[in-house]
Amino acid sequence: MTSISRSRLAVFTVLAVLMAATRLNHFGMVPDASWAVFAIGGFYLAGSVRWAFPALMVLAVAVDYVVISGTGTSFWNHYCVSPGYWMLLPAHFALWAAGAGLRRFGQDKPLRQLAGLAPALLLGVAVCHLFAQGGFYWLSDVVANPSVAGWAKNYADWFMPYLGTTALYVGLAVVVHALVGLVRRASAASSGNLAG
């Protein structure tokens, strides 16, 4: 196994564990990291989209299945699992695309990537929320009398909490990324000094 595939597998594993651990209780003390996981995955695993994105989607659905079934409710009869539930596929891919786009935007230019992070994240979350919230609002039977005004209010009410949570986890990923970079540079410098 090459170092690239080992590092990708390590990143995937960390993201999968983070999503599973936080998605188990969407509104618990530790907020759901799913949206951030897809954005971070797009950044680090863009070249592995064919296996990594579907695997994370399967994990998200599996966690939802376990949580819903654990309440004694049939997965297919739960109010969240309407035809709108399947809009999570393009919703999460919007975040993946935001991460992948950011990676390409500043290839080998970390300061450029950092400058592009906020707009990429804002756009990714806005489009993700459009699909996720819009799918639920318009395609489920939970909303008795859907209207454009009702949809817009619902979108606005939930946008900032989702953006904040996603930004929190992405911000933590930026800090970890910077720390790993420092450790690698220090290690390389130390190895160079030993070789000389």
Side-chain angles (χ1 to χ4, degrees), residues 108-178:
D108 299 324
K109 296 178 182 149
L111 292 178
R112 186 174 180 194
Q113 284 178 333
L114 194 57
L117 177 61
L121 191 61
L122 183 63
L123 180 61
V125 169
V127 174
C128 175
H129 190 48
L130 185 69
F131 281 112
Q133 179 270 344
F136 180 79
Y137 186 87
W138 293 108
L139 300 175
S140 74
D141 57 3
V142 174
V143 180
N145 297 309
S147 67
V148 172
W151 166 79
K153 181 182 181 332
N154 189 276
Y155 183 94
D157 288 349
W158 286 97
F159 180 75
M160 288 309 293
Y162 280 112
L163 177 62
T165 298
T166 305
L168 172 71
Y169 283 113
V170 170
L172 290 172
V174 169
V175 170
V176 169
H177 180 94

Side-chain angles (χ1 to χ4, degrees), residues 38-103:
F38 283 98
I40 296 165
F43 184 82
Y44 288 106
L45 304 171
S48 302
V49 66
R50 290 185 180 188
W51 67 266
F53 180 77
L56 288 173
M57 282 303 305
V58 167
L59 176 62
V61 174
V63 170
D64 288 350
Y65 180 84
V66 168
V67 169
I68 291 169
S69 298
T71 65
T73 305
S74 166
F75 178 75
W76 300 108
N77 292 332
H78 193 267
Y79 78 95
C80 282
V81 185
S82 68
Y85 181 82
W86 305 109
M87 295 303 285
L88 291 180
L89 186 63
H92 289 158
F93 194 77
L95 289 163
W96 185 280
L102 181 62
R103 177 132 191 132

